[in-house]
Structures are given as structure tokens and as C-alpha cells.
Amino acid sequence: MSERETTRLVAWSHEMRQVHSRLRRALALVQDDHAVLDELLLYCRGFCTALDGHHRGEDHTLFPAIAAAHPELRPVLRKLEQDHSMIGYLIGALNHAVHNNADPDELRRHIDGIGAIMESHFRYEERQILGVLETLNLDADPAEALGPL
């Protein structure tokens, strides 16, 4: 394997860590800053779109490549896809609450729920597939595989 190929393989693992880190920081921003609740509609358009885009990229590009190279991980990938669906549902509920001018306590519950599931999902995903990403031969744009972050 050439140095370039090795660098690209390790980069997938690095890319996923970076995307997860950025999403964690974005969520922490709204959790720590009550003023952001006033601008939640704008926040949702950015953060919620980024999180959804990340999961769509994984579902459509990254996970099929992992499943092809590592069929034994299909049950893990199915669980991760189920998490994506649940997070998508929670994002939809938050968007609904924002559009219906829910009170700040309700909005905070939605955000905290997304944060809890997202963190649990990221930790599981990182434990289960980061090592695989260091050996995965995937010729794709990182924005396509991990979302446009």
C-alpha cells in the first residue's frame, strides 16, 4: 500500500472524529447559551441540517462501503441507521416546537434529548467503526460520505 493510500485510509477515521467534534461543539453552543434559544429557528437550519446531512452521507455512502468490506458489521450498521432515524424524528419534533413557538423549557427538553441520543450514538459509532475506517478503501468525497461539514 502506498503512503498516499495509507494517508487516505487513516483520514476517514480522522474525518469522522472531526465531524463529530464539530457537531458536539455546535450542540454545546445552544445548550450553554440561553440567548441562542431566541434564535433557535436559525440554529436549527444550520445544526439540524448539518446533523441530518452527516447521517444521510453515512447511510448512503459510508455504511454501504463498510458493509461490503465487513459484512460482519451489518448488525452494527443497522443499529446506527436506526439511531439516525430516531435522531431525525427528534430533529423533526424540535423543528415543530420551534415553528409553534414552544416555551423555552420545552425547547430545552428537545435540545437535551437530541444531545443525549446524539452523544450515545457518536460514542457507539466511534467504538464500533473508527478502527474499520482506518482500513476502508473508499474513493469518495468526505462531504458525500460524512456530510457537508
Side-chain angles (χ1 to χ4, degrees), residues 4 14 18 32 35 49 54 67 87 91 100 102 119 135-136 147:
R4 181 182 176 284
H14 176 75
Q18 291 296 99
D32 294 340
T49 299
H54 169 61
I87 292 168
I91 287 171
N100 287 308
E119 186 59 33
T135 63
L136 186 67

Side-chain angles (χ1 to χ4, degrees), residues 2-149:
S2 73
E3 182 179 337
R4 181 182 176 284
E5 289 170 320
T6 302
T7 300
R8 181 68 244 156
L9 294 175
V10 173
W12 281 113
S13 172
H14 176 75
E15 293 278 351
M16 179 174 279
R17 283 188 185 104
Q18 291 296 99
V19 168
H20 285 181
S21 178
R22 283 183 237 143
L23 288 166
R24 285 177 171 122
R25 284 193 311 265
L27 183 65
L29 175 69
V30 76
Q31 288 175 319
D32 294 340
D33 187 352
H34 294 283
V36 174
L37 284 175
D38 296 334
E39 301 298 326
L40 204 49
L41 184 58
L42 179 61
Y43 173 81
C44 276
R45 288 193 178 128
F47 172 76
C48 296
T49 299
L51 183 57
D52 184 60
H54 169 61
H55 290 158
R56 286 179 191 272
E58 287 179 334
D59 290 347
H60 297 291
T61 303
L62 186 62
F63 291 175
I66 293 172
H70 298 275
E72 73 280 5
L73 289 176
R74 286 188 175 132
V76 168
L77 299 172
R78 275 193 297 278
K79 184 198 178 321
L80 292 170
E81 289 169 343
Q82 288 171 343
D83 285 356
H84 292 171
S85 180
M86 182 187 323
I87 292 168
Y89 174 81
L90 294 173
I91 287 171
L94 173 60
N95 277 317
H96 179 77
V98 168
H99 286 293
N100 287 308
N101 298 314
D103 66 76
D105 289 337
E106 181 181 345
L107 296 174
R108 174 78 48 209
R109 286 190 299 274
H110 283 287
I111 292 166
D112 289 346
I114 290 169
I117 299 298
M118 184 186 88
E119 186 59 33
S120 172
H121 169 77
F122 283 176
R123 287 177 186 229
Y124 178 75
E125 185 172 59
E126 290 166 359
R127 279 193 319 271
Q128 296 296 319
I129 68 172
L130 276 182
V132 169
L133 291 180
E134 293 176 358
T135 63
L136 186 67
N137 188 7
L138 175 61
D139 186 24
D141 180 344
E144 178 187 344
L146 296 172
L149 284 180

